[in-house]
Amino acid sequence: MSYKTDIQIAREASKRPIQEIGAKLGIGAGDMLPYGHDKAKISQDFINSVQDRPNGKLILVTAINPTPAGEGKTTTTVGLGDGLNRIGKKAAICIREASLGPNFGMKGGAAGGGYAQVVPMEDMNLHFTGDFHAITSAHNLLSAMIDNSIYWGNPLDIDQRRVVWRRVLDMNDRALRDVVTSLGGVANGFPRQTGFDITVASEVMAILCLAKDLADLEKRLGDMIVAYTREKTPIYCRDIKADGAMTVLLKDAMQPNLVQTLENNPAFVHGGPFANIAHGCNSVIATTTALKLADYVVTEAGFGADLGAEKFLNIKCRKAGLSPDAVVIVATVRAMKMNGGVAKGDLGAENVAAVEAGCPNLGRHIANLQSFGVPVLVGINHFAGDTDAEVQAVKDYVAGLGAEAVLCKHWADGGAGIEEMARKVADLADSGVAKFKTLYPDDMPLFEKIESIAKNIYHADGVVADGKIRTQLKEWEAQGYGKLPICIAKTQYSFTTDPTVRGAPTGFTLPVREVRLSAGAGFVVAICGEIMTMPGLPRRPASEAIHLNDEGLIEGLF
Amino acid sequence: MSYKTDIQIAREASKRPIQEIGAKLGIGAGDMLPYGHDKAKISQDFINSVQDRPNGKLILVTAINPTPAGEGKTTTTVGLGDGLNRIGKKAAICIREASLGPNFGMKGGAAGGGYAQVVPMEDMNLHFTGDFHAITSAHNLLSAMIDNSIYWGNPLDIDQRRVVWRRVLDMNDRALRDVVTSLGGVANGFPRQTGFDITVASEVMAILCLAKDLADLEKRLGDMIVAYTREKTPIYCRDIKADGAMTVLLKDAMQPNLVQTLENNPAFVHGGPFANIAHGCNSVIATTTALKLADYVVTEAGFGADLGAEKFLNIKCRKAGLSPDAVVIVATVRAMKMNGGVAKGDLGAENVAAVEAGCPNLGRHIANLQSFGVPVLVGINHFAGDTDAEVQAVKDYVAGLGAEAVLCKHWADGGAGIEEMARKVADLADSGVAKFKTLYPDDMPLFEKIESIAKNIYHADGVVADGKIRTQLKEWEAQGYGKLPICIAKTQYSFTTDPTVRGAPTGFTLPVREVRLSAGAGFVVAICGEIMTMPGLPRRPASEAIHLNDEGLIEGLF
């Protein structure tokens, strides 16, 4: 049996003009800014006009800790959106945009997979509607203005050793991680050591994804700390007077992008912050807009539920006043087997015992999410080699926890393969059983918030941190940042900080290596382990094989 | 008497949907990729479909050497396009895109001015259709791949001291002119000194503007020299295997952008290479496409005619097989006065003698252009303070050379103010008197080509260059680059390399400081004087005042 590749399926898609997709949500052609015939941004006037409407139901798709076997979180998000539409519900999905740079290292990816994809796939892997380019420009304008202020007499008394604002490019370029700028003499300024991150790591990206509207965006940009004086007084973006021009550069990027699934259902694809040093969710404005236009909005959070869903709930929902009505945790038989100790090469053979042994990873995520007061369903993303006995083992395990797991075949069959789950999710969301509450209150001390996540979500014994880190957190509390939520940056592969530890481990601690304040985005980042904010290219980058073929189609990108 | 500002006029424009503008040229809505409602890219399929049509007439607008008084070259280009349409001709204009970075230093500009503008002005000063961002990405992908090749064992034996490919950003950022990259240890590569240019200075920009189609683009990208081995053997972009992926990144950027004038006439705005180290004209593909769709195409070349028109004719027309049917040289009474020795503050008073004293600058440009075999008209771009006697002085001077000067009032009156010129230009272009020939043949030695431009266009006594430069040119000739045309980088304010020398000077030499090979773009750059390829921001950058007002309109950008 041979399968079509994602790109083959995507290219065979019978796309409808984006105006037709918008019409399904009641968006008129004049309220959309088209980008080609299959992409559009939603105008702010239209968004303003729907603010009095009631919200639809919000459904979060999250997953177990990822394994090399793949779990299919985006695929399930897309499939569930199609499934809901298929059973007659008015549903939209909200997912993140892809970063350009990494596509030239490893191969770029579909948004979704198989028969549960969002299109146009090529554009979404390239410039799309230019949002990330706008973020790059806005970020680097601030960088240039900081050095320019120092150059012209340094009226803000910036300590050149304490400029914390770096530069960004949407490119995997390890040579830019650590650079010295302003060499070459008097006309080029004062040499100093700095570096570049990839654009998705920019605080501007996090802010764009958390801002309610353009006024909120501008305020948050102004709040960003870019440097300190010799006396460690913060210098804000507002002091540099860059916030207004940055907002102008981000004006169009703030508008949500509308595209479509293979089944011509509406998909908002907007924003894409890092899921480690930032919160890893699509934009608040896309989610809140979708909730005004659709009866059911399916969205996802990056990485496994311990990182992605935790941040979605504790950061995005808290900040945006969102409240999920149901959560779907995606699991696969194969991933359960890997959690149960099977190597990737041995996944082909039936192994019910290994599935059972791996299930506690899933079980812990279920319990964690239930502790937020949201009802949970497990979606078993079906792979062709899964046996009935293996699938049943997952179902039995989940049933034993008082929850339910549903087999989903959207990858092979699109919306038709996930109707059962769609019906159950819709019923659950409609039932009103959700009583969402965040894990910790705003006024808990910062260090205790870290401890709360470590103990309640990761099930660690405690948090290990230098006195210096604790002092830093106290200083921020004294400066008025104590009410911010925590954004943990750690490996996505484990509940612990060791990516090789699968399952549901106990008896470990969470070491905090560093803390950073994202004062504009509005969270404190606790870095636990090595976090790379500028990737490199591999020995044989994908870009070497990317080209246009004789028909003008892109080869090698996927 | 008070005038409306350019932005006030632009905002009052009654724009038509871009589909209507395309329809004027016979472009169907399906053949345009819309970007919002007032911008579109023309599809390659459509461009391919019109290749068998005859060409319209090509009209070049150029100017005297610019002075602080302003000359209004783009304004005249736009006005002339509107004027031609107004007298019943099917005309389109082709101009360059604006660079984003400089708008945050000095104020951004209109495309044109007064009642002769192209809209949407805001977008054209910001991200427009993303072309420059695509060029930035393509350029920097190659940069990353070069360092990546060195990092992974340097299989091409690149001499790390001889990497000539830098990085680019569309930002005025002097701190990036001269940097050391790859600091921070083993994982970040081998430290080396390099720098960033502004995106418009990228050879990729020059190539995009000279390439016939995507296949030509890819070939030219592959031809770029990015580094040398220790033995000085060139390493090409093709050796890095970046040409295919760069072409994919530039796929949409290669398609010409269509917008409109205030009078709803079609305007192609596409590409924007530097006018010093590159040729400074809009893209070949925009010009050749416009020629298939309109009976008259009005285009412009950067700077004064000694640089801009010379490069348009010797580089762009030579490479693209274009042949202008008429040339308009824009002059102003004010600029003639400044050439005649009047200071900017004294321009208000009538001074016929100074006008007459300044006219030889114009006269030399007329003679230069006539030497290319193209018929010339002078357009006097009218300013409110010009007196009849001053205008007559210019007309008389031009008539004395056997040419004609026509007063143009498009700034105040739009197309209606330039009807006389439109009729005369159309007649001249239709007359078939143009017998275009380039200044020098392909097979003239490179140094002699420089001498030919210096003597015949600048009227210098000769060229001064080190033996090292002459040897370099000989080496390139031996390597097969001898047939390339020359691109002179010098000040635009004078026929000499001294920006303060106005008029029509003689008795000087042209000192060549450096030569560079743009092997992909296909020219040899001769640098005469200081050329800045990464601008800085001023003490009070415009960006400090740029913001969205309460109505959501952009303030401070214009």
Side-chain angles (χ1 to χ4, degrees):
Chain A
M1 183 167 176
S2 84
Y3 294 101
K4 288 182 180 169
T5 63
D6 288 348
I7 181 67
Q8 282 175 322
I9 294 169
R11 283 189 177 151
E12 288 169 8
S14 120
K15 280 184 294 185
R16 302 304 310 159
I18 196 63
Q19 289 78 8
E20 279 185 32
I21 307 302
K24 291 188 177 190
L25 297 177
I27 314 170
D31 291 320
M32 289 190 275
L33 284 174
Y35 284 68
H37 302 291
D38 50 13
K39 306 176 289 294
K41 284 186 167 284
I42 313 302
S43 81
Q44 189 59 44
D45 285 346
F46 177 78
I47 293 173
N48 294 343
S49 76
V50 298
Q51 289 310 306
D52 290 338
R53 296 187 189 175
N55 282 331
K57 301 295 181 186
L58 180 59
I59 298 156
L60 172 68
V61 175
T62 182
I64 54 171
N65 293 96
T67 70
E71 76 283 5
K73 196 168 51 201
T74 306
T75 303
T76 303
T77 305
V78 176
L80 188 52
D82 283 339
L84 284 162
N85 277 290
R86 198 177 162 86
I87 63 168
K89 306 293 187 187
K90 187 174 174 184
I93 67 162
C94 290
I95 60 174
R96 286 174 292 170
E97 299 180 55
S99 177
L100 181 65
N103 291 341
F104 300 105
M106 310 298 282
K107 287 193 177 198
Y115 286 89
Q117 293 187 54
V118 174
V119 285
M121 185 168 161
E122 285 93 338
D123 291 353
M124 291 174 63
N125 278 284
L126 292 170
H127 308 292
F128 200 38
T129 59
D131 294 341
F132 289 15
H133 291 317
I135 291 168
T136 302
S137 292
H139 183 116
N140 291 335
L141 172 62
L142 175 54
S143 311
M145 288 176 75
I146 294 166
D147 278 309
N148 193 58
S149 183
I150 296 171
Y151 178 85
W152 289 105
N154 199 8
L156 298 171
D157 283 329
I158 294 169
D159 183 343
Q160 294 160 45
R161 304 162 307 175
R162 292 194 172 98
V163 177
V164 294
W165 192 255
R166 292 156 53 94
R167 285 173 176 80
V168 296
L169 273 187
D170 194 0
M171 193 57 64
N172 285 23
D173 192 348
R174 68 171 65 76
L176 294 179
R177 286 173 189 155
D178 196 343
V179 304
V180 170
T181 55
S182 290
L183 295 169
V186 171
N188 298 349
F190 298 85
R192 66 181 182 82
Q193 195 159 3
T194 179
F196 285 70
D197 298 317
I198 192 161
T199 298
V200 290
S202 168
E203 188 175 349
V204 178
M205 174 69 86
I207 288 175
L208 185 113
C209 291
L210 287 169
K212 280 199 304 285
D213 52 31
L214 284 167
D216 188 28
L217 177 81
E218 184 166 16
K219 187 209 165 286
R220 287 168 177 270
L221 292 172
D223 287 342
M224 295 190 301
I225 295 173
V226 300
Y228 295 87
T229 65
R230 219 180 157 95
E231 294 73 35
K232 298 194 189 167
T233 307
I235 309 284
Y236 297 92
C237 170
R238 188 173 293 111
D239 301 322
I240 303 290
K241 299 181 185 164
D243 44 336
M246 292 173 77
T247 304
V248 167
L249 278 167
L250 295 168
K251 183 172 63 78
D252 293 336
M254 261 298 276
Q255 302 312 121
N257 305 300
L258 182 68
V259 288
Q260 64 191 290
T261 68
L262 292 177
E263 300 185 5
N264 311 124
N265 293 311
F268 291 93
V269 179
H270 194 220
F274 248 31
N276 47 40
I277 60 161
H279 62 292
C281 312
N282 70 266
S283 74
V284 162
I285 195 169
T287 304
T288 56
T289 301
L291 284 168
K292 297 296 182 190
L293 305 178
D295 296 327
Y296 299 87
V297 174
V298 186
T299 190
E300 62 164 339
F303 294 160
D306 55 324
L307 277 172
E310 185 272 312
K311 293 178 185 182
F312 175 85
L313 298 167
N314 278 323
I315 299 176
K316 179 173 172 178
C317 288
R318 179 194 306 259
K319 295 280 180 177
L322 295 170
S323 182
D325 298 285
V327 175
V328 172
I329 304 178
V330 180
T332 64
V333 164
R334 292 155 58 88
M336 290 299 95
K337 279 194 226 180
M338 289 196 80
N339 268 291
V342 174
K344 196 178 177 191
D346 300 329
L347 287 172
E350 182 179 86
N351 191 337
V352 173
V355 171
E356 287 169 347
C359 275
N361 181 271
L362 171 60
R364 182 176 286 180
H365 288 298
I366 294 171
N368 282 348
L369 284 160
Q370 286 172 336
S371 74
F372 284 91
V374 288
V376 171
L377 278 165
V378 172
I380 305 172
N381 183 18
H382 185 253
F383 277 66
D386 298 349
T387 70
D388 291 347
E390 289 173 328
V391 170
Q392 194 58 46
V394 179
K395 287 187 171 183
D396 290 347
Y397 175 84
V398 174
L401 299 176
E404 186 176 6
V406 183
L407 190 64
C408 302
K409 296 190 170 179
H410 48 280
W411 186 87
D413 300 326
I418 194 170
E419 284 189 28
E420 184 189 356
M421 173 61 103
R423 268 187 292 270
K424 292 193 169 173
V425 164
D427 287 349
L428 195 60
D430 291 343
S431 72
V433 299
K435 303 284 176 235
F436 170 64
K437 57 179 190 301
T438 56
L439 176 67
Y440 50 81
D442 287 350
D443 58 6
M444 184 184 278
L446 292 170
F447 193 78
E448 287 179 37
K449 287 174 182 164
I450 300 174
E451 285 183 319
S452 174
I453 297 167
K455 291 180 180 168
N456 294 302
I457 304 296
Y458 308 155
H459 298 243
D461 294 336
V463 174
V464 180
D466 280 355
K468 195 174 152 190
I469 285 172
R470 291 167 192 257
T471 306
Q472 177 64 80
L473 294 172
K474 291 278 175 218
E475 277 179 21
W476 287 335
E477 285 165 1
Q479 289 166 14
Y481 295 110
K483 290 188 188 302
L484 296 184
I486 299 294
C487 179
I488 306 260
K490 74 161 184 66
T491 177
Q492 69 265 40
Y493 297 110
S494 173
F495 280 106
T496 75
T497 54
D498 178 350
T500 65
V501 178
R502 299 217 169 100
T506 53
F508 64 95
T509 55
L510 182 77
V512 178
R513 190 168 59 79
E514 181 190 343
V515 285
R516 295 184 195 167
L517 175 58
S518 290
F523 49 70
V524 170
V525 183
I527 295 178
C528 312
E530 285 298 320
I531 298 298
M532 173 67 71
T533 51
M534 173 53 98
L537 292 170
R539 182 184 290 268
R540 305 220 64 87
S543 49
E544 291 187 357
I546 295 173
H547 65 282
L548 291 178
N549 67 19
D550 293 341
E551 296 165 70
L553 296 174
I554 299 167
E555 300 281 354
L557 182 56
F558 314 100
Chain B
M1 182 167 175
S2 84
Y3 294 103
K4 288 183 180 170
T5 63
D6 288 347
I7 181 68
Q8 281 174 323
I9 294 169
R11 284 188 176 151
E12 288 170 9
S14 118
K15 279 184 294 184
R16 302 305 309 160
I18 196 62
Q19 288 77 10
E20 279 185 31
I21 307 303
K24 291 189 178 189
L25 296 176
I27 313 170
D31 291 320
M32 289 189 275
L33 283 174
Y35 283 69
H37 302 291
D38 50 12
K39 306 176 289 296
K41 284 186 166 283
I42 313 302
S43 81
Q44 189 59 45
D45 285 348
F46 177 78
I47 293 173
N48 293 342
S49 75
V50 298
Q51 289 310 306
D52 289 340
R53 296 187 190 174
N55 282 331
K57 302 294 181 187
L58 180 59
I59 298 156
L60 173 68
V61 175
T62 183
I64 54 171
N65 293 95
T67 69
E71 75 285 2
K73 197 169 49 200
T74 305
T75 303
T76 304
T77 304
V78 176
L80 188 52
D82 282 340
L84 284 162
N85 277 289
R86 199 178 160 84
I87 62 167
K89 306 292 187 185
K90 187 173 173 184
I93 67 161
C94 289
I95 61 173
R96 286 175 292 170
E97 298 180 55
S99 179
L100 181 65
N103 292 340
F104 300 104
M106 311 299 283
K107 286 195 178 195
Y115 286 89
Q117 293 188 53
V118 174
V119 285
M121 186 169 160
E122 286 94 338
D123 291 352
M124 291 173 63
N125 277 285
L126 291 170
H127 308 292
F128 199 39
T129 60
D131 294 341
F132 288 15
H133 291 318
I135 291 168
T136 303
S137 293
H139 184 115
N140 291 335
L141 172 62
L142 175 54
S143 311
M145 288 177 75
I146 294 166
D147 278 309
N148 193 58
S149 182
I150 296 170
Y151 178 84
W152 290 105
N154 198 9
L156 297 172
D157 284 328
I158 294 168
D159 184 343
Q160 294 159 45
R161 304 163 306 176
R162 293 194 171 98
V163 177
V164 293
W165 192 255
R166 292 156 54 95
R167 286 173 177 78
V168 295
L169 273 187
D170 194 1
M171 193 56 65
N172 285 22
D173 192 348
R174 69 170 66 75
L176 294 179
R177 286 174 188 155
D178 196 343
V179 304
V180 170
T181 55
S182 289
L183 295 169
V186 171
N188 297 350
F190 299 85
R192 65 182 184 82
Q193 195 160 4
T194 178
F196 285 70
D197 299 316
I198 192 161
T199 298
V200 290
S202 168
E203 188 176 349
V204 177
M205 174 68 87
I207 287 175
L208 185 113
C209 291
L210 286 169
K212 280 199 303 285
D213 52 32
L214 284 167
D216 188 30
L217 177 80
E218 183 166 16
K219 187 208 165 286
R220 287 167 177 271
L221 292 172
D223 287 343
M224 296 189 301
I225 295 172
V226 300
Y228 295 87
T229 65
R230 217 179 159 93
E231 294 73 35
K232 299 193 189 168
T233 307
I235 309 284
Y236 297 92
C237 169
R238 189 173 292 112
D239 300 324
I240 303 291
K241 298 182 184 161
D243 43 337
M246 292 172 77
T247 304
V248 166
L249 279 167
L250 296 168
K251 182 172 64 77
D252 293 336
M254 261 297 277
Q255 302 314 121
N257 305 299
L258 183 68
V259 287
Q260 63 192 289
T261 67
L262 292 177
E263 300 186 4
N264 310 125
N265 293 311
F268 291 92
V269 180
H270 192 221
F274 248 32
N276 47 39
I277 60 161
H279 62 293
C281 313
N282 70 265
S283 75
V284 162
I285 196 168
T287 305
T288 55
T289 300
L291 284 168
K292 298 295 182 189
L293 304 177
D295 296 326
Y296 299 87
V297 173
V298 186
T299 190
E300 65 164 338
F303 294 158
D306 54 325
L307 276 172
E310 185 272 313
K311 293 177 185 183
F312 176 84
L313 298 167
N314 277 324
I315 299 177
K316 181 173 173 179
C317 287
R318 179 194 304 259
K319 296 279 180 177
L322 295 169
S323 183
D325 297 286
V327 174
V328 173
I329 304 178
V330 180
T332 64
V333 163
R334 292 155 58 89
M336 289 299 95
K337 280 194 223 178
M338 289 197 82
N339 268 290
V342 174
K344 197 178 178 191
D346 300 330
L347 288 173
E350 181 179 86
N351 190 337
V352 174
V355 171
E356 288 169 346
C359 274
N361 181 270
L362 171 60
R364 182 176 285 180
H365 289 298
I366 294 171
N368 282 347
L369 284 161
Q370 287 172 334
S371 75
F372 284 91
V374 288
V376 171
L377 278 165
V378 172
I380 305 173
N381 182 19
H382 185 253
F383 277 66
D386 298 349
T387 70
D388 290 347
E390 289 173 328
V391 169
Q392 193 58 47
V394 178
K395 286 187 172 183
D396 290 347
Y397 175 84
V398 174
L401 300 176
E404 186 176 6
V406 183
L407 189 63
C408 302
K409 297 191 168 179
H410 47 279
W411 186 86
D413 300 327
I418 193 171
E419 284 189 28
E420 183 190 356
M421 173 62 103
R423 267 189 292 271
K424 291 192 172 177
V425 164
D427 287 348
L428 195 60
D430 291 343
S431 71
V433 299
K435 302 284 176 236
F436 170 63
K437 58 179 190 299
T438 55
L439 176 67
Y440 49 81
D442 286 351
D443 57 7
M444 184 185 278
L446 293 169
F447 193 78
E448 287 179 36
K449 287 174 182 165
I450 300 173
E451 285 184 319
S452 174
I453 297 167
K455 290 181 180 169
N456 294 302
I457 303 297
Y458 308 154
H459 298 243
D461 293 336
V463 175
V464 179
D466 280 356
K468 195 174 154 191
I469 284 172
R470 292 167 190 255
T471 305
Q472 177 65 78
L473 293 172
K474 291 279 175 216
E475 277 177 21
W476 287 335
E477 285 166 359
Q479 288 165 15
Y481 296 110
K483 289 187 189 302
L484 296 184
I486 299 295
C487 180
I488 306 261
K490 75 161 183 66
T491 177
Q492 68 265 39
Y493 297 109
S494 173
F495 280 106
T496 75
T497 54
D498 178 349
T500 65
V501 178
R502 298 216 170 103
T506 54
F508 64 94
T509 56
L510 182 77
V512 178
R513 189 168 60 80
E514 181 190 342
V515 284
R516 294 183 195 167
L517 175 59
S518 290
F523 49 69
V524 169
V525 183
I527 295 178
C528 311
E530 285 299 318
I531 298 299
M532 174 67 71
T533 52
M534 173 54 97
L537 293 170
R539 183 183 290 268
R540 305 220 64 88
S543 49
E544 291 188 357
I546 295 173
H547 65 282
L548 291 178
N549 67 19
D550 292 342
E551 295 167 70
L553 296 174
I554 299 167
E555 299 282 355
L557 182 56
F558 314 100

